[in-house]
Amino acid sequence: MAEFVVDDSLKINYHLDGESGPVILILNGIMMSTASWADFVPVYTENNYRVLRVDFRDQGLSDSYPEDYRIDIHVEDIIKLMDQLELEQVIPVGISYGGMVAMLMAIKYPERIKSMVLANTVSRVTPYLKAASQAWQEAADLKDGRKFFKLAMPFIYSDYFYKHNQEFLASREEILADVLDEKWLTRFNRLAESSYDFDIENQLAKIEMPVLLVAGERDILTPLEKMKEIADEIADSRLITINDAGHASCYEKMDEFNTVVLGHLALTAKNN
């Protein structure tokens, strides 16, 4: 674990794994942290990539930021970290909320991105996605991790995954019941609110680097049709659908997710 400082005193947690090679920048979904990617790291480091994981403000082991803010605040934090680590370019892999951050970064700092993976994300927070987030906030206000898990997870995992993974979900509920404490739930609410006015639909054409879009066939939060809209606006993009996967496609079909990401990296990361 390492830290860097923004805003004079606010500490941001990060991990950089791997000895050499292009740097994959993992940008978390809203309920995730650097710890969420522990099983993914060796897949990429063993293929000669470095993996940079970061907890956003109000996430994981990073400090809390108990003020109103917008999602684009994270972009400057990432650029500051890259400068500190002397990284000229990275390859963002952004999931959901992290995908939004990746697109904002690509629009503002295109020279710092070699290529990009956007999974289960949107270019605009739709009324349905906002309503789901507000429902999660109502659940978070109960200050009960077990209840939050029960109320939030049916939006995240597909019906197919629920049917075939009851034991896994029960074990995750037990693990997360204590992790999702009052502090976590309060921080989650601020992160959720930061994206409510997110809308870059009219700026997608500015994204010119190679982009892989990964959609879940059964994702109800960031549905396939919305991913197709992003693909239509980004000239150098390719859309892959993971069948029978919901919003958590990277977990539901981990091997398939890693395979398509590694394929994209093989085509784009080591060129030039």
Side-chain angles (χ1 to χ4, degrees), residues 34 43 63 76 97 110 113 121 124 129-130 138 144 146 154 157 178 186-188 198 200 217 227 239 243 259 268:
T34 55
V43 175
D63 283 350
E76 302 305 324
Y97 184 95
I113 296 178
T121 194
R124 175 179 65 87
L129 181 55
K130 184 175 181 179
E138 292 286 340
D144 185 314
R146 190 179 298 277
Y157 292 105
D178 293 328
T186 299
R187 282 153 52 102
F188 167 82
F198 177 79
I200 58 166
E217 179 191 27
M227 298 289 291
L239 173 64
N243 293 331
T259 296
T268 63

Side-chain angles (χ1 to χ4, degrees), residues 23-24 44 75 91 96 121 132 136 189 195 218 243 247-248 261:
V23 177
I24 301 168
Y44 297 103
V75 174
I91 304 156
S96 191
T121 194
W136 293 336
N189 275 348
S195 66
R218 296 170 180 255
N243 293 331
H247 191 62
V261 172

Side-chain angles (χ1 to χ4, degrees), residues 111-177:
E111 72 282 359
R112 307 303 296 269
I113 296 178
K114 187 170 185 63
S115 70
M116 188 162 60
V117 177
L118 302 173
N120 302 91
T121 194
V122 289
S123 57
R124 175 179 65 87
V125 172
T126 63
Y128 181 83
L129 181 55
K130 184 175 181 179
S133 294
Q134 289 174 330
W136 293 336
Q137 287 189 271
E138 292 286 340
D141 286 340
L142 298 174
K143 307 302 182 188
D144 185 314
R146 190 179 298 277
K147 289 180 180 178
F148 181 86
F149 182 92
K150 287 181 176 295
L151 292 167
M153 288 307 108
F155 289 95
I156 304 298
Y157 292 105
S158 67
D159 56 332
Y160 180 90
F161 191 81
Y162 261 80
K163 179 179 179 180
H164 296 280
N165 295 275
Q166 286 293 305
E167 289 186 10
F168 167 82
L169 289 165
S171 68
R172 291 296 291 171
E173 180 180 337
E174 291 303 317
I175 292 169
L176 294 176

